[in-house]
């Protein structure tokens, strides 16, 4: 075996580390959870697309990052290393314009320059949001906490790990109401330390039921859904001949008094009882007097039937 071939084998082994199926599952879950986090932040539910996920040396990964960009680095516990979240300028300025009430459409051209204090602050909030989602996704598998370490705006100044350390760079495209931006996660494989064995274990199915499992995950997702509430005053029985005889402007006596309870239904399921009334502005209102189902029962019912 020639020296050149031996060096090539060593290089290949370094740049193509052990497969981590549980890590792949966590990153897939991250792409699903991130839109909900952005909706809470901007009141916009974005579309997320994973553009690439590559294994490469840490120094090579850093060289691919745009200059400048906002890089938030955290220490991961109980890991032994650090994690970097890269907020690219297109995402930073899309978020900034939306927060300031900018109109829909393609952002204007941006020439590389230093970030202002406001831009840096907004970028840090976006990075914090992304890293919180990463931490929560890892938390389903192993206890994980992130501790803020540093912020860089020029990749060439970033020292995340030794230059030749095998790492992975995952880049995501985020569409915010017609505006497109990008965010990346850069994690050296050496950062996982002793928890790497957990990530290398085969992943058999999804989360278990119970606290922190699929029930909780589904409940958090469903909680943001919009439902139609229908107030049912009463039910009456009339003949078809009476219905056919109804005329425009005719008043139909329902036999209901203001004191009688009204049932509120959601998707056809009775959810509450209430009293009819008026608000100060003259609008009709329904005051809840009794809940027919608990929040947990409602979410469980939806998650098991829809």
């Amino acid at each position: 075996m020639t020296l050149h071939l031996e060096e090539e084998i060593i290089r290949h082994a370094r740049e193509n580390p052990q497969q981590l199926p549980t890590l792949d599952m966590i990153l897939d879950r991250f792409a699903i959870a991130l839109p909900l986090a952005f909706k809470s932040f901007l009141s916009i539910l974005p579309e997320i697309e994973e553009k690439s996920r590559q294994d490469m040396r840490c120094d090579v990964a850093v060289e691919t990052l745009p200059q400048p960009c906002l890089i938030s680095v955290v220490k991961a516990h109980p890991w032994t290393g650090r994690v970097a979240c890269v907020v690219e300028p297109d995402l930073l300025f899309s978020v900034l314009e939306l927060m300031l009430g900018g109109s829909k459409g393609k952002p204007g051209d941006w020439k590389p320059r230093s970030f202002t204090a406001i831009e840096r602050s907004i970028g840090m909030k976006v990075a914090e949001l992304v890293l919180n989602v990463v931490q929560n996704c890892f938390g389903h598998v192993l206890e994980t906490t992130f501790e803020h370490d540093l912020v860089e705006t020029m990749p060439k100044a970033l020292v995340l790990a030794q230059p030749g350390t095998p790492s992975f760079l995952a880049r995501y495209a985020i569409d915010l109401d017609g505006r497109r931006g990008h965010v990346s996660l850069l994690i050296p494989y050496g950062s996982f330390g002793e928890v790497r064995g957990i990530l290398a274990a085969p992943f058999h199915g999804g989360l278990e039921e119970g606290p922190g499992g699929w029930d909780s995950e589904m409940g958090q997702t469903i909680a943001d859904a919009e439902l139609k509430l229908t107030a049912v005053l009463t039910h009456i029985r009339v003949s078809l001949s009476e219905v056919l005889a109804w005329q425009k402007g005719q008043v139909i006596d329902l036999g209901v008094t203001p004191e009688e309870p009204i049932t509120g239904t959601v998707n056809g399921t009775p959810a509450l009882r209430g009293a009819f009334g008026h608000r100060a502005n003259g609008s009709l209102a329904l005051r809840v007097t009794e809940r027919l189902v608990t929040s947990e029962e409602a979410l469980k019912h939806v998650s098991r039937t829809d």
Side-chain angles (χ1 to χ4, degrees):
M1 182 180 295
T2 65
L3 179 60
H4 175 73
L5 182 57
E6 290 178 352
E7 292 176 345
E8 186 66 19
I9 293 174
I10 293 173
R11 184 194 65 78
H12 181 80
R14 286 179 176 175
E15 297 184 3
N16 295 274
Q18 176 187 4
Q19 295 298 309
L20 305 177
T22 299
L23 174 61
D24 293 337
M25 177 276 296
I26 291 173
L27 293 177
D28 290 341
R29 181 175 300 282
F30 164 77
I32 296 173
L34 190 58
L36 294 178
F38 266 99
K39 182 181 179 183
S40 299
F41 183 55
L42 293 173
S43 299
I44 294 175
L45 185 64
E47 295 182 4
I48 306 292
E49 178 187 1
E50 183 181 285
K51 299 298 293 184
S52 62
R53 190 189 304 179
Q54 297 176 292
D55 292 330
M56 61 182 72
R57 291 176 7 188
C58 188
D59 57 336
V60 175
V62 170
E63 289 176 359
T64 66
L65 302 179
Q67 299 197 42
C69 60
L70 193 140
I71 309 171
S72 177
V73 179
V74 295
K75 295 179 181 178
H77 305 285
W79 309 1
T80 58
R82 301 184 297 175
V83 174
C85 173
V86 182
V87 179
E88 299 187 19
D90 55 2
L91 177 60
L92 170 57
F93 288 104
S94 292
V95 171
L96 182 60
E97 290 179 1
L98 289 171
M99 292 183 68
L100 296 178
S103 59
K104 298 181 181 180
K106 183 179 178 181
D109 293 335
W110 179 77
K111 296 181 179 180
R113 57 169 174 77
S114 299
F115 297 121
T116 66
I118 293 178
E119 292 165 353
R120 187 183 175 102
S121 176
I122 296 299
M124 283 296 298
K125 290 183 181 297
V126 174
E128 181 181 357
L129 177 148
V130 173
L131 287 168
N132 282 340
V133 175
V134 176
Q135 177 180 286
N136 292 337
C137 290
F138 272 99
H140 288 296
V141 177
L142 53 95
E143 184 178 353
T144 303
T145 56
F146 288 164
E147 175 189 354
H148 176 72
D149 188 14
L150 58 91
V151 177
E152 293 285 358
T153 57
M154 298 302 292
K156 62 183 180 182
L158 177 65
V159 180
L160 190 64
Q162 292 295 325
T165 302
S167 309
F168 77 84
L169 179 65
R171 187 168 185 256
Y172 300 86
I174 302 177
D175 189 300
L176 291 164
D177 206 12
R179 298 178 180 272
R180 196 170 180 86
H182 296 83
V183 66
S184 300
L185 296 175
L186 175 56
I187 305 180
Y189 282 105
S191 294
F192 295 126
E194 296 181 357
V195 305
R196 181 165 178 163
I198 298 175
L199 301 177
F203 177 67
H204 302 290
L207 298 172
E208 300 294 333
E209 292 189 5
W214 274 118
D215 285 353
S216 299
E217 189 79 5
M218 182 65 75
Q220 293 175 8
T221 302
I222 294 175
D224 285 331
E226 294 184 0
L227 299 174
K228 182 178 181 180
L229 173 65
T230 302
V232 181
L233 299 178
T234 187
H235 290 88
I236 61 173
R237 184 183 294 272
V238 296
S239 66
L240 178 59
S241 59
E242 291 180 89
V243 174
L244 295 176
W246 287 345
Q247 301 293 325
K248 182 178 179 180
Q250 181 178 344
V251 177
I252 300 172
D253 184 7
L254 300 179
V256 179
T257 64
E259 293 76 23
E260 292 189 35
I262 298 172
T263 301
T265 66
V266 177
N267 287 354
T269 301
L272 58 90
R273 295 195 200 286
F276 175 79
H278 292 82
R279 301 191 64 180
N281 61 6
S283 300
L284 299 179
L286 182 66
R287 179 169 58 86
V288 178
T289 58
E290 179 186 1
R291 296 187 61 174
L292 303 181
V293 293
T294 64
S295 300
E296 293 76 12
E297 290 173 340
L299 290 174
K300 187 174 182 180
H301 173 74
V302 175
S303 64
R304 293 189 181 279
T305 57
D306 290 3

